[in-house]
Amino acid sequence: GNSVTQMEGPVTLSEEAFLTINCTYTATGYPSLFWYVQYPGEGLQLLLKATKADDKGSNKGFEATYRKETTSFHLEKGSVQVSDSAVYFCALIFTSYGGSQGNLIFGKGTKLSVKP
Amino acid sequence: DGGITQSPKYLFRKEGQNVTLSCEQNLNHDAMYWYRQDPGQGLRLIYYSQIVNDFQKGDIAEGYSVSREKKESFPLTVTSAQKNPTAFYLCASTSGRHPFYEQYFGPGTRLTVT
């Protein structure tokens, strides 16, 4: 079946360190891919997205590239800040042109803690 | 401001009682979703509704019920049949327009059953 696998956390980094959170997926077709972020005690917010192979999503200094050949969508940031401390979720969804809506499939989340 | 509201933020109930969690959106979205979040488990889909007066079971619907009488509202009832109801519950909605179906999330309700 379709699934998303993320690296297990927690991930602890010092401020200004480089961040990579790995995400790979298993899917029978060509899904759209997302990264969501959840700050403590809050709901999820969309961080970035990519809808087709080789697309690069970016937002707030975070980037992820849709790699069909490796079925991956790794999240990266060159210099993390304390305010980036949160839980990050990788997710995929299948869409169709017929108007029906797919359901998001989430990874288990990776907790990031950034120390000053 | 458009968005999704969930109330209350914290909810406490005794075992054996049914409890209803509220979810309201003013985004004019057709589809709405309920997720359950447990530590280390990610999000799991409970129920979803693509249109008023229609809804479908998600992956973990047992012990839950929903209604969708209005486009703006999608309340979730956690029944006494739900064996482990203590969790963080998230509501989401989407316009469902291609090419990507961004889901917008509410702030969540933390339910504790003792």
Side-chain angles (χ1 to χ4, degrees):
Chain A
N2 303 313
S3 65
V4 175
T5 303
Q6 289 180 237
M7 64 186 287
E8 290 194 19
V11 174
T12 303
L13 296 173
S14 297
E15 207 165 22
E16 299 183 3
F18 184 85
L19 169 71
T20 299
I21 300 179
N22 290 339
C23 171
T24 57
Y25 66 90
T26 302
T28 53
Y30 302 104
S32 295
L33 301 173
F34 304 86
W35 277 100
Y36 280 84
V37 58
Q38 184 180 34
Y39 298 103
E42 297 183 8
L44 275 67
Q45 303 172 25
L46 180 65
L47 181 60
L48 52 83
K49 61 186 181 290
T51 58
K52 61 183 187 298
D54 300 325
D55 268 1
K56 177 185 282 189
S58 61
N59 186 26
K60 299 181 181 179
F62 291 89
E63 292 183 340
T65 301
Y66 188 164
R67 301 284 189 202
K68 190 178 75 169
E69 62 277 11
T70 55
T71 61
S72 65
F73 193 54
H74 304 322
L75 182 68
E76 297 182 336
K77 186 174 185 183
S79 176
V80 294
Q81 306 301 311
V82 172
S83 58
D84 293 327
S85 298
V87 180
Y88 292 83
F89 292 92
C90 186
L92 67 81
I93 195 168
F94 286 98
T95 61
S96 72
Y97 289 89
S100 62
Q101 297 165 20
N103 294 326
L104 276 171
I105 298 171
F106 286 90
K108 292 188 176 182
T110 303
K111 184 176 181 179
L112 170 66
S113 295
V114 181
K115 306 298 184 187
Chain B
D1 282 339
I4 301 176
T5 56
Q6 291 186 244
S7 61
K9 191 169 178 64
Y10 298 95
L11 192 53
F12 298 89
R13 281 294 183 271
K14 296 290 187 185
E15 198 172 322
Q17 293 179 335
N18 291 356
V19 59
T20 297
L21 281 60
S22 166
C23 176
E24 304 277 333
Q25 53 98 359
N26 60 3
L27 299 166
N28 199 32
H29 284 172
D30 289 314
M32 298 186 74
Y33 304 79
W34 273 106
Y35 294 92
R36 172 183 171 134
Q37 185 178 16
D38 296 284
Q41 295 255 12
L43 276 71
R44 292 182 289 171
L45 182 65
I46 304 173
Y47 267 98
Y48 64 101
S49 168
Q50 297 184 357
I51 197 168
V52 174
N53 292 322
D54 188 43
F55 47 82
Q56 286 78 40
K57 293 181 179 179
D59 300 320
I60 56 164
E62 186 175 349
Y64 299 97
S65 65
V66 294
S67 63
R68 186 85 187 277
E69 297 176 0
K70 298 187 299 182
K71 188 175 185 178
E72 303 80 21
S73 179
F74 191 40
L76 173 74
T77 297
V78 184
T79 75
S80 56
Q82 167 49 233
K83 290 182 171 41
N84 187 16
T86 294
F88 190 50
Y89 291 88
L90 287 160
C91 179
S93 71
T94 179
S95 64
R97 292 195 178 87
H98 190 77
F100 60 89
Y101 293 69
E102 178 180 349
Q103 290 193 11
Y104 294 81
F105 283 81
T109 292
R110 187 166 297 281
L111 173 65
T112 302
V113 177
T114 57

